[in-house]
């Protein structure tokens, strides 16, 4: 898996690992395998944990998936 970071909603820095998903001979995009490793709150200068992390996770993964589709 490849590691990278992504700025989410201007206030959060997300570290994640991913593997691009492609299918068939025409390389049509599939869902990418994304694992969010950490979310850092740049405004409060602290990591996002617990309930806040879990509540953000779905939206963060969806935005990263869209970002990877547009590379």
């Amino acid at each position: 898996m490849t590691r990278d970071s992504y700025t989410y909603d201007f206030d959060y820095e997300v570290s994640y690992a991913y593997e691009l998903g492609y299918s068939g001979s025409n390389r049509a995009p599939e869902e990418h395998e994304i694992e969010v490793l950490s979310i850092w709150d740049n405004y409060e200068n602290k990591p996002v944990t617990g309930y806040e992390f879990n509540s953000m996770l779905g939206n963060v993964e969806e935005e990263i998936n869209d970002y990877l589709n547009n590379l």
Side-chain angles (χ1 to χ4, degrees):
M1 292 189 99
T2 305
R3 289 184 179 213
D4 203 351
S5 64
Y6 180 80
T7 301
Y8 175 75
D9 201 26
F10 300 106
D11 289 332
Y12 302 97
E13 192 68 28
V14 179
S15 296
Y16 65 98
Y18 71 95
E19 192 165 320
L20 295 177
Y22 290 101
S23 167
S25 61
N26 61 356
R27 299 179 56 83
E30 282 185 347
E31 286 288 312
H32 306 297
E33 184 179 331
I34 299 168
E35 178 183 356
V36 174
L37 305 173
S38 67
I39 302 175
W40 183 264
D41 186 331
N42 291 323
Y43 183 74
E44 294 189 22
N45 201 29
K46 66 177 189 174
V48 176
T49 59
Y51 176 77
E52 186 180 10
F53 179 89
N54 291 332
S55 65
M56 293 176 64
L57 194 56
N59 291 335
V60 169
E61 287 175 336
E62 184 177 325
E63 190 165 313
I64 291 172
N65 190 60
D66 290 344
Y67 166 74
L68 293 173
N69 281 336
N70 292 318
L71 287 179

